Amino acid sequence: MINPLIQTLPAAPTTDSGPAALAGVLAATIPPPVDMGRVFTSWTLDPWVLVPLVAAGAAYLAGVRTLRRRGIEWRRGRTVLWFVGLSIIALSTSSMIGVYDNALFSMSAVQHMMLQMIAPAPLGLAAPITLALRALSGRPRRILLAVVHSRYVRVVGHPFVAYLLFVVSPFVLIYSPLFELSITNAAVHDLTHLHFVLVGALLYWPLLGVDPLPNPMPWVLRLLLVIGLGPAHIVLGIPIMLRDSLIAPNYFTQVAAAWSTDPLADQKVGGGLLWIFGDVVVLFLLAGMFVQWNRSEKREQRRVDRHLDRRYGAATATSPWWLTDDPRAPRRMPHFVEAANSRPVTSVPAQSDDAAHGAGPAGPASHAAPDTPEPSDAESASTTRTTASTPTASKEHQS
């Protein structure tokens, strides 16, 4: 990718082929120093980025048109979200961010966050796989189903594998020679952008749960994965803020010499952006996850209602007798309620103030007296006969 804004740098006074080659790359790719005027006027058009974006937008619109010809409705909001995601990718690669991503570490950090954490969210909510499965037919649809349910996609698309790739990828890029290679080689640079978009899509696919999933997971685990993204960006950003040495020092030292700037200060700003940017995006993701969870519960409720309607028809549910005023409703109470109401009510003798408050030996007994059940007629007769026969039995024993 060749930027339209080019500043020719003086060749490095050295005979080493490495620094000389690096100076040649800088002379061909680095833009002029950034200022307020170039923030809104610096744009670059990379066909390796724009052509796939245009093709993705055209394919989505073709799928929506196919569904409409079949009489199948497709939400306009999903179409809008798809183009919002594509616009974020275009903005991060073609605007001022894309122009200065190979000259400022802070711009590179912003670009990676936009490609990995922001753009995949609207792309996932647009449900492209669902659209493709509904629009395609025959062999193309069978091929897509085979890919979605293949063993490779099951492994790579597993939430924990996708989470590991999502978290590890920035560390591998920044703390390895791959970072300097990505800002000096156009092909590696574009492949890095594609990698961040795909890794973000792999994680957001199971988290959002809009498209069919080979590895579905409960919403609680999805929330825990989103919460775990916050500490990952803290561990990524804060060490860069506290770092006293440059990342890709040969490259950024020559950029600083041409611009007369402090590359270490810009690197610290980039570390802070990685930290703050990641945490803010996690908060928005949590809010979106709760919204999706609520919608999922409502869809499940409607599904259960449809199942009950198919099984029991349009019969109305009978309200309990204690919630209805219909005189035709049954008024029979449970057996234990009828037994309690059939007991005779006994009068409670008057009590003194001390006894009423439980004072003295009669206190507890007086409180327990109303709850003591009265003996039935059969029990009273049995007790009378026992009392009458007691003296006779005693005299016979004495004789």
Side-chain angles (χ1 to χ4, degrees):
M1 177 178 65
I2 304 298
N3 289 329
L5 304 174
I6 297 176
Q7 174 187 5
T8 303
L9 299 180
T14 178
T15 58
D16 189 5
S17 59
L22 182 59
V25 172
L26 286 170
T29 59
I30 188 172
V34 63
D35 55 24
M36 290 304 299
R38 294 189 177 94
V39 169
F40 302 100
T41 60
S42 299
W43 290 85
T44 178
L45 301 178
D46 186 4
W48 292 102
V49 176
L50 295 180
V51 171
L53 292 179
V54 172
Y60 196 93
L61 290 178
V64 174
R65 185 176 302 176
T66 301
L67 292 184
R68 289 181 178 177
R69 284 200 302 263
R70 298 175 183 174
I72 303 175
E73 291 294 331
W74 186 258
R75 299 178 187 174
R76 293 183 179 179
R78 289 182 173 180
T79 304
V80 173
L81 287 171
W82 179 256
F83 283 94
V84 167
L86 296 181
S87 300
I88 292 174
I89 297 176
L91 183 66
S92 63
T93 55
S94 301
S95 67
M96 174 258 189
I97 300 173
V99 172
Y100 288 93
D101 63 344
N102 63 341
L104 296 172
F105 182 85
S106 57
M107 290 296 101
S108 178
V110 172
Q111 184 184 65
H112 292 164
M113 290 293 100
M114 293 180 67
L115 293 175
Q116 187 180 19
M117 296 200 68
I118 299 181
L123 293 178
L125 291 174
I129 299 179
T130 302
L131 175 63
L133 290 175
R134 292 183 182 181
L136 296 176
S137 60
R139 182 177 178 83
R141 188 176 187 276
R142 290 194 297 269
I143 293 176
L144 180 58
L145 283 174
V147 172
V148 171
H149 296 285
S150 63
R151 182 176 301 178
Y152 175 77
V153 174
R154 284 180 177 272
V155 174
V156 178
H158 193 277
F160 295 105
V161 176
Y163 177 82
L164 185 63
L165 292 174
F166 189 94
V167 172
V168 171
S169 293
F171 287 91
V172 173
L173 176 68
I174 293 175
Y175 292 103
S176 70
L178 183 61
F179 181 77
E180 186 170 346
L181 180 63
S182 67
I183 58 180
T184 56
N185 188 290
V188 177
H189 193 67
D190 293 337
L191 289 176
T192 303
H193 296 166
L194 178 62
H195 171 79
F196 278 111
V197 174
L198 292 179
V199 167
L202 282 176
L203 181 63
Y204 287 6
W205 184 21
L207 290 182
L208 299 176
V210 178
D211 280 323
L213 302 173
N215 300 294
M217 62 185 306
W219 282 98
V220 175
L221 293 181
R222 301 181 193 182
L223 290 175
L224 292 178
L225 287 180
V226 174
I227 294 173
L229 296 177
H233 286 92
I234 294 176
V235 175
L236 176 64
I238 291 182
I240 297 177
M241 293 176 59
L242 303 177
R243 188 183 177 102
D244 294 330
S245 59
L246 285 175
I247 298 173
N250 295 332
Y251 184 87
F252 287 113
T253 299
Q254 296 197 36
V255 173
W259 285 5
S260 299
T261 57
D262 186 2
L264 188 59
D266 177 73
Q267 180 175 292
K268 293 181 180 295
V269 171
L273 291 174
L274 290 173
W275 171 26
I276 299 174
F277 207 96
D279 288 347
V280 171
V281 173
V282 166
L283 292 178
F284 281 101
L285 282 177
L286 286 176
M289 291 288 294
F290 279 111
V291 173
Q292 288 295 111
W293 194 352
N294 185 32
R295 291 179 179 176
S296 175
E297 292 296 329
K298 290 182 178 179
R299 287 195 300 267
E300 180 66 17
Q301 182 179 0
R302 290 193 297 267
R303 187 190 66 82
V304 173
D305 290 341
R306 289 193 299 268
H307 172 73
L308 294 177
D309 290 340
R310 288 193 301 267
R311 183 170 182 178
Y312 298 104
T316 58
T318 303
S319 301
W321 60 268
W322 59 86
L323 295 180
T324 182
D325 297 330
D326 189 356
R328 296 172 299 175
R331 296 297 176 179
R332 183 174 178 81
M333 292 181 291
H335 175 70
F336 66 92
V337 179
E338 293 181 349
N341 293 337
S342 63
R343 296 170 183 170
V345 180
T346 58
S347 59
V348 182
Q351 302 174 0
S352 63
D353 294 340
D354 294 339
H357 290 82
S366 62
H367 283 286
D371 295 334
T372 304
E374 288 291 326
S376 60
D377 296 337
E379 292 175 350
S380 300
S382 176
T383 305
T384 304
R385 288 194 298 269
T386 304
T387 306
S389 61
T390 301
T392 306
S394 178
K395 289 182 181 180
E396 291 177 356
H397 179 70
Q398 293 177 357
S399 60

